[in-house]
Amino acid sequence: MAFLEKFRKGAEKAGIQATAFLKEGSSRVQSGSQSLVQGFSLPGEADKAAKILETFLADPSHPQSALNAIPKAVLQRARGLAVFQVIKAGFVFSGKAGSGLVIARLPDGSWSAPSCIATGGIGWGLQIGADITDFVIVLNSEDAVRAFSMGGNVTIGGNISAAAGPIGTGGSVQASLAHPAPMFSYSKSKGLFAGLSLEGTALIERKDANTDFYGSAIPARDILGGRVPPPEVASRLYEIIEAAEGLDESGLPEEAYVPTPEGGHIQVQGHQTVFDAGH
């Protein structure tokens, strides 16, 4: 009888915890869904991307923020950026959906007009609740940009590989750029960096959103190739990138790390290679 009573109380406690988690998750999904819906047009995506990117890059008015941001050196040599948000929710079955945009560096050093992208999927597992994760993928090569320019899907780990990117400042960051992965992936959930693996994630060109904004079915290769002038609605996004690229790092300590999937830190020292967080 004592065992049964203990089991009953344990089950009641688990039920209360699950209910609370579901309520919290539902609230987060509702809030995130509103953001997702508002950002489903290109102007909305540009506004959302600017807000997301601002949390990943250093604030020039607070140089110390560079110690916990995508490195200036990584940003300066980037050939492109993909910025998107993913909402994941489920109970036994799970689903995820996300949207964002991609921009490319043009030969003169400026940035292209944005092209809208989306991702999604379903899964199975013991999952209760919801989560919202922001992603920034730094495209380190022309091949990576070309993958987003061809239309259709870009499957990370399939079409092209990605590694968890370094965070911080100093020579160790420069060393990691000697032979970088085609893409560096960065993610934040609950405001904290995490080295989440994106293997198998498919990012799809949103031709509908591009057509609605640009007025005709302009292919991604033309948008990212500079054949479309950068729109005013993306000006805040460009301003944030420009400010972070111009950050004065003099006087800052040399500190760099790679985030683990759990949000921990792997220090990067000397000429240590930056490995994929999933390995």
Side-chain angles (χ1 to χ4, degrees):
M1 291 297 291
F3 173 79
L4 290 176
E5 180 65 16
K6 185 176 181 180
F7 180 83
R8 182 184 65 79
K9 290 182 178 180
E12 288 178 352
K13 183 178 180 181
I16 292 171
Q17 291 175 336
T19 300
F21 189 35
L22 279 171
K23 286 181 178 178
E24 178 185 358
S26 297
S27 176
R28 295 188 69 193
V29 166
Q30 184 178 14
S31 175
S33 297
Q34 290 174 351
S35 173
L36 192 67
V37 170
Q38 289 171 354
F40 220 52
S41 64
L42 192 145
E45 293 289 7
D47 181 62
K48 182 176 68 177
K51 292 176 181 177
I52 290 173
L53 195 57
E54 193 169 27
T55 69
F56 282 81
L57 301 182
D59 179 357
S61 63
H62 298 88
Q64 287 287 329
S65 63
L67 301 178
N68 194 41
I70 296 177
K72 172 181 174 179
V74 169
L75 188 62
Q76 287 179 325
R77 75 176 306 281
R79 307 313 306 162
L81 296 171
V83 185
F84 58 101
Q85 183 179 78
V86 174
I87 298 174
K88 183 177 180 181
F91 178 76
V92 183
F93 284 106
S94 64
K96 64 179 181 180
S99 67
L101 53 76
V102 59
I103 56 176
R105 180 94 67 178
L106 300 177
D108 64 359
S110 64
W111 291 94
S112 74
S115 175
C116 289
I117 56 175
T119 187
I122 58 173
W124 167 270
L126 297 177
Q127 302 180 41
I128 302 175
D131 200 7
I132 300 171
T133 305
D134 295 331
F135 291 91
V136 173
I137 298 180
V138 178
L139 312 183
N140 292 320
S141 69
E142 291 301 329
D143 285 343
V145 175
R146 194 173 299 113
F148 281 92
S149 303
M150 299 304 292
N153 300 358
V154 176
T155 302
I156 298 175
N159 301 50
I160 198 159
S161 62
I167 294 167
T169 63
S172 54
V173 172
Q174 295 286 352
S176 72
L177 293 172
H179 302 286
M183 297 190 293
F184 281 152
S185 64
Y186 295 90
S187 65
K188 276 188 176 184
S189 183
K190 301 178 181 177
L192 300 175
F193 275 107
L196 300 179
S197 175
L198 288 175
E199 291 294 306
T201 299
L203 296 169
I204 306 165
E205 178 191 349
R206 287 188 54 217
K207 297 179 181 180
D208 59 335
N210 288 340
T211 299
D212 287 345
F213 181 77
Y214 294 114
S216 61
I218 302 174
R221 65 176 178 274
D222 288 345
I223 298 173
L224 300 180
R227 295 177 182 86
V228 176
E232 180 65 26
V233 295
S235 59
R236 178 58 181 156
L237 180 66
Y238 304 134
E239 289 169 0
I240 290 170
I241 297 172
E242 183 180 1
E245 287 181 318
L247 178 74
D248 182 6
E249 292 184 336
S250 61
L252 292 177
E254 296 192 0
E255 297 178 6
Y257 69 92
V258 178
T260 66
E262 297 77 21
H265 292 182
I266 298 176
Q267 293 299 129
V268 179
Q269 299 178 347
H271 294 278
Q272 181 178 340
T273 302
V274 178
F275 292 101
D276 190 310
H279 286 65

